[in-house]
Amino acid sequence: MSERKILIVDAANVVGSVPDGWWRDRRGATERLRDGLAGYAERERAEVVLVVEGSARGVESVPGVRVESAPGSGDDRIVELVAAAALPCVVVTADRELRRRVGEFGAECLGPRAVRPAAPHAHARDGTGAGNGDGDRDRDRDG
């Protein structure tokens, strides 16, 4: 990221992109993602916003990563942030509908692997090998 941009991360989507047991401790998985993003923010000199929802609400911000707890839908909060941003935005998600919505405001989109490498032998979001539909194709193409 050479020009200053805001990186907005769809926490639920990125956490769910790797079947590493996140479903047993959604909040802990989100905290681990946040901590990894702090290193990314420092390396890339990026402003990073992690949008959380549901049981991950209440995860605290850390230096380099501002955590936004969505009062309702995380996707809706991400669209609001993109629409109000003074800088260009990059949104990290594999959610096609969210990509379409933020694209209307000129946001660039990246897949979850842009900030979180796949786990070894990760074939599905839920660990079953069944995949998660269109999100898998988006991640393979974009992230």
Side-chain angles (χ1 to χ4, degrees):
M1 294 174 85
S2 56
E3 101 180 73
R4 186 86 170 138
K5 294 182 181 182
I6 302 171
L7 184 75
I8 301 174
V9 180
D10 179 353
N13 188 272
V14 174
V15 163
S17 70
V18 177
D20 61 359
W22 60 265
W23 51 90
R24 291 187 294 269
D25 181 12
R26 202 173 298 246
R27 184 183 176 113
T30 302
E31 288 171 339
R32 288 188 298 278
L33 173 60
R34 175 207 58 200
D35 295 346
L37 289 169
Y40 181 92
E42 185 175 329
R43 280 189 314 277
E44 299 294 326
R45 299 181 185 265
E47 179 180 340
V48 177
V49 180
L50 180 65
V51 177
V52 300
E53 63 188 355
S55 61
R57 282 190 196 102
V59 168
E60 299 290 328
S61 296
V62 296
V65 180
R66 183 176 93 226
V67 177
E68 287 273 337
S69 291
S73 160
D75 290 0
D76 290 346
R77 183 65 186 134
I78 290 168
V79 172
E80 291 168 1
L81 290 168
V82 169
L87 294 172
C89 295
V90 176
V91 175
V92 180
T93 187
D95 182 316
R96 281 189 174 179
E97 176 61 14
L98 178 57
R99 286 170 171 244
R100 183 196 63 74
R101 292 174 66 194
V102 299
E104 291 175 1
F105 294 98
E108 177 186 346
C109 294
L110 298 174
R113 283 191 224 161
V115 296
R116 183 171 188 211
H121 309 294
H123 297 293
R125 183 176 194 171
D126 63 359
T128 65
N132 71 334
D134 57 40
D136 281 332
R137 285 190 300 277
D138 284 343
R139 280 194 312 277
D140 291 340
R141 183 186 74 230
D142 298 319

